[in-house]
Amino acid sequence: MHKILLLPGDHIGPEVMAEAEKILRFLNAEMKLNLTFEQGLLGGAAYEKYGEPYPEKTQQQALAADAILLGAVGGPEWDNIERSKRPERGLLGIRAHLKLFANLRPALLYPSLADASSLKKEIVSGLDILIVRELTGGIYFGEPRGIRTLANGERQGYNTDVYSESEIRRIAHVAFQLAQQRDKRVCSVDKANVLEVTELWREIVTQVAQQYPDVQLSHMYVDNAAMQLIRAPKQFDVMVTGNLFGDILSDAAAMLTGSIGLLPSASLDANNKGLYEPCHGSAPDISGKGLANPLATLLSAAMMLRYSLKLTKPAVLIEQAIQQVLEVGIRTKDISETNKPFVSTQQMGDAVFNQLKETLA
Ligand code: NAD
């Protein structure tokens, strides 16, 4: 039995979640996956009911779940409430509470959508990169930090980039194990020529690599990695890096694929329990209009089946159904060409659903 917690969130969150739930329930029934579903509140929706963006009830549900699928949280109606109560705090809260230290951001470009990228078709068509970013350490959390006033009266801002051996080791293991399920190549990104913290990073990643003789390890300085991502992105399989470099590189890699409506993500703890969510926000500008692309959430659901529940077959089926739907030209507005027809959120969900039904018939 796998307990799945669904957190639809706010604005387009419930719209895209409805499509993911429809497909997960169908696969559960057809393939006897033994999934159970529970709904919970996070973000603005939770604030409205409990006065907290990550209330006690949701915390208990999250601890009890084997995996969590999230829509998106936030909206302008909560912009002026106390900072600690804002929807985004709910997201930070659940990530910290569950100790989700490994952030997985795939950048995958379906050949039928190669025109949506800002790069030339031949450079990105068929792109399939997985960026593994350390999420709970590094310069975003290092102490000491702050803004101080120097003796001469000038102010100085400072942060500390810090990684312990164990933190590096555990994220490296995640990257190597994921590479074993893919093309068996890991590129570790650092700035070991300048920063001691990443000199240690390189040393530890190299040590961990010895336990994965089937995976090929390379190292790259972050400035070169940024350049290579734009110049020849298909050279990468898995990239592993720290919090700051990962933040920047994963957004750059994501944009190679063209649309925010197609980008899934996962954040895992030490036992592969994870929070899965589309990379986009709650898009209040389009909520309630049927314009949201549900595919990022469907792809997040596929990642959830694969990484936390080890249900590879249904994960592959969802991904293939999405590819087939895109190949026949079905598009939501965000990925359609100007003046070309497009389908609604629900119609896109139905198209994937029908494709799966056909495949399993
Ligand atoms: P956004 O990602 O919500 O929207 C950016 C743009 O992309 C908008 O024009 C939107 O219409 C479009 N877009 C987003 N998702 C789409 C989809 N599935 N299909 C089609 N178009 C889509 O970012 P934002 O506007 O900066 O933020 C809106 C709210 O979401 C804010 O409250 C923000 O704090 C929150 N937010 C939440 C998350 C999260 O829940 N993980 C992430 C980012 C932002």
Side-chain angles (χ1 to χ4, degrees):
M1 200 74 106
H2 302 292
K3 274 193 197 171
I4 295 179
L5 176 62
L6 304 174
L7 299 172
D10 309 314
H11 287 282
I12 67 164
E15 299 174 35
V16 292
M17 181 63 84
E19 302 314 308
E21 186 175 353
K22 182 163 73 189
I23 278 159
L24 285 171
R25 283 189 186 276
F26 170 70
L27 288 175
N28 189 31
E30 286 292 305
M31 301 177 77
K32 306 198 173 31
L33 302 178
N34 270 327
L35 310 179
T36 62
F37 300 94
E38 198 177 329
Q39 291 256 358
L41 295 174
L42 187 79
Y47 173 78
E48 293 302 328
K49 175 144 189 210
Y50 297 104
E52 295 287 339
Y54 183 41
E56 181 67 34
K57 169 103 198 291
T58 313
Q59 291 178 30
Q60 283 169 7
Q61 289 176 307
L63 283 180
D66 296 309
I68 302 164
L69 186 65
L70 168 69
V73 300
E77 57 272 58
W78 301 290
D79 275 355
N80 295 318
I81 63 175
E82 188 191 320
R83 191 169 284 277
S84 68
K85 309 277 187 198
R86 290 193 195 154
E88 294 76 8
R89 284 298 168 125
L91 200 52
L92 296 178
I94 192 170
R95 285 179 184 153
H97 182 217
L98 299 180
K99 299 190 176 62
L100 305 173
F101 69 91
N103 185 224
L104 277 48
R105 290 270 300 262
L108 193 143
L109 187 67
Y110 296 106
S112 54
L113 285 180
D115 285 331
S117 174
S118 51
L119 293 193
K120 287 192 203 107
K121 204 171 174 168
E122 59 271 24
I123 291 181
V124 288
S125 184
L127 178 82
D128 184 1
I129 305 177
L130 179 62
I131 298 197
V132 179
R133 165 190 172 195
E134 201 293 327
L135 201 58
T136 53
I139 198 164
Y140 289 0
F141 295 94
E143 301 279 352
R145 60 191 297 155
I147 299 173
R148 60 193 163 204
T149 304
L150 302 176
N152 66 4
E154 189 185 10
R155 288 191 309 152
Q156 186 182 57
Y158 58 101
N159 289 86
T160 307
D161 198 358
V162 53
Y163 270 114
S164 60
E165 289 179 291
S166 57
E167 284 175 307
I168 303 168
R169 205 167 278 125
R170 69 178 183 179
I171 192 79
H173 278 294
V174 171
F176 285 109
Q177 284 164 19
L178 289 168
Q180 283 181 322
Q181 299 172 39
R182 297 172 44 101
D183 201 33
K184 301 189 171 51
R185 290 179 294 123
V186 168
C187 177
S188 171
V189 176
D190 61 41
K191 191 73 183 170
N193 51 342
V194 179
L195 301 173
E196 285 82 355
V197 56
T198 66
E199 199 179 309
L200 182 69
W201 177 282
R202 187 176 282 221
E203 185 188 316
I204 301 297
V205 172
T206 306
Q207 271 177 21
V208 173
Q210 289 167 7
Q211 295 175 44
Y212 300 89
D214 53 331
V215 178
Q216 183 196 328
L217 171 67
S218 62
H219 301 276
M220 197 177 274
Y221 296 137
V222 63
D223 42 345
N224 188 23
M227 196 165 77
Q228 296 300 331
L229 263 181
I230 310 298
R231 194 187 71 82
K234 282 193 273 186
Q235 70 184 279
F236 298 111
D237 178 26
V238 173
M239 298 176 92
V240 61
T241 190
N243 209 340
L244 173 63
F245 298 159
D247 192 2
I248 301 165
L249 293 180
S250 61
D251 269 19
M255 276 303 103
L256 299 175
T257 68
S259 169
I260 193 159
L262 283 168
L263 297 167
S265 78
S267 305
L268 305 181
D269 75 359
N271 301 313
N272 276 333
K273 171 167 168 168
L275 174 71
Y276 296 81
E277 52 178 320
C279 292
H280 60 73
S282 61
D285 55 331
I286 57 167
S287 75
K289 298 179 181 161
L291 291 176
N293 185 344
L295 294 183
T297 311
L298 298 189
L299 289 167
S300 302
M303 287 181 85
M304 175 177 81
L305 294 171
R306 174 178 285 120
Y307 295 127
S308 284
L309 310 180
K310 309 289 177 220
L311 296 169
T312 310
K313 189 161 178 222
V316 171
L317 285 177
I318 294 177
E319 289 160 355
Q320 283 174 348
I322 290 174
Q323 184 162 359
Q324 283 158 335
V325 159
L326 291 172
E327 266 164 24
V328 298
I330 298 173
R331 301 279 186 272
T332 43
K333 185 164 188 247
D334 56 310
I335 50 174
S336 72
E337 287 173 51
T338 323
N339 298 328
K340 288 269 174 72
F342 55 84
V343 301
S344 69
T345 308
Q346 197 187 333
Q347 287 168 327
M348 180 57 102
D350 287 344
V352 177
F353 181 90
N354 291 332
Q355 184 61 54
L356 279 168
K357 219 167 157 181
E358 205 179 302
T359 309
L360 288 172

